Amino acid sequence: MSAARGDSDRRLGRRALLVGGAVAAAGTALLAREELSHLWWRLPGVEKPRVAGAVDFRGARWVAASPANYRRADRPDDYAIDRVVVHVTQGDYASAVKAFQDPAHQAAAHYIVREDGRVTQLIRELDVAFHAGNRGYNERSVGIEHEGFVEHASSFTDAMYAASARLTAAICRRYDIAVDREHLIGHVEVPGTDHTDPGRYWDWERYLGLIHRQM
């Protein structure tokens, strides 16, 4: 399941450009305007407009995670998205949703794929979900949970593989992510994590093959 260790909110940093001359000053002003065009909504009292209940994957059901379990962002404008992280819930669908709606849990993924293939979105892809236990990986990835247990091969059904492959293919097309094991990884492969999912029963060869067919 998703883990929040290594991620927390932060204040905006300052970009200092020590250059001389009128041309450099003009360039700096242009850069500042471009940066503010992405970051204006992160100022105190300002929020980027959102459509309530909107989903990024057609057919997904929207169930909102607690705002404590993700950070509002404007991806990929502020953070490039270049990978997908595969998780396993280590429990049933209902318990995963309950955990992700609990502000004390401090973690949630963007999506959950059920054993029957139904997809639920809990966090918009433009936001940073606390799912990988590594701040940098959270900022540039989409996290997908899969209902079940790493110890049970039976958790990973045909319907789950097919639905997850369609979802991941859509994400890869949207952000031009390569369909390979460098960019599609398990939670266990995230640096610094103590998780083992998706485990030895997750069939990566099958999964990537299904994704390629959807591209």
Side-chain angles (χ1 to χ4, degrees):
M1 184 179 280
S2 303
R5 185 167 58 85
D7 200 336
S8 60
D9 206 352
R10 60 170 174 155
R11 297 180 181 273
L12 292 176
R14 292 183 178 179
R15 178 177 295 180
L17 299 177
L18 301 179
V19 294
V23 173
T28 301
L30 176 61
L31 179 62
R33 285 197 298 272
E34 290 176 348
E35 185 166 302
L36 285 173
S37 71
H38 296 311
L39 303 182
W40 65 270
W41 55 270
R42 295 176 71 176
L43 297 173
V46 178
E47 288 192 350
K48 187 175 187 292
R50 306 295 175 98
V51 177
V55 295
D56 297 300
F57 180 67
R58 185 176 180 180
R61 174 191 181 197
W62 175 257
V63 177
S66 168
N69 296 331
Y70 65 92
R71 188 167 77 246
R72 292 175 79 92
D74 190 19
R75 303 191 309 168
D77 288 337
D78 46 7
Y79 304 108
I81 298 175
D82 65 6
R83 67 195 61 209
V84 173
V85 180
V86 173
H87 301 263
V88 175
T89 60
Q90 287 300 95
D92 62 16
Y93 170 80
S95 65
V97 170
K98 182 178 180 180
F100 294 164
Q101 292 184 320
D102 180 0
H105 189 62
Q106 294 292 293
H110 293 92
Y111 295 96
I112 302 175
V113 181
R114 292 177 16 166
E115 288 187 349
D116 61 8
R118 296 184 184 181
V119 177
T120 297
Q121 183 168 6
L122 301 101
I123 299 170
R124 292 291 306 277
E125 291 175 13
L126 53 79
D127 292 326
V128 176
F130 302 158
H131 66 96
N134 179 304
R135 186 188 188 95
Y137 276 67
N138 284 344
E139 289 174 343
R140 66 178 194 260
S141 68
V142 174
I144 303 176
E145 289 278 0
H146 297 81
E147 180 184 19
F149 298 87
V150 297
E151 304 90 353
H152 300 164
S154 60
S155 293
F156 309 132
T157 64
D158 292 343
M160 174 183 286
Y161 274 117
S164 184
R166 289 193 297 272
L167 170 60
T168 299
I171 294 168
C172 290
R173 288 194 301 269
R174 188 156 36 249
Y175 305 110
D176 196 24
I177 300 172
V179 180
D180 58 33
R181 289 289 284 112
E182 180 180 353
H183 298 89
L184 308 182
I185 64 172
H187 195 180
V188 67
E189 297 170 87
V190 175
T193 186
D194 59 357
H195 287 240
T196 62
D197 51 320
R200 62 191 175 114
Y201 293 117
W202 183 260
D203 190 337
W204 281 105
E205 183 176 357
R206 176 186 182 185
Y207 188 52
L208 267 64
L210 290 169
I211 295 169
H212 275 294
R213 293 176 198 173
Q214 298 289 329
M215 298 299 287

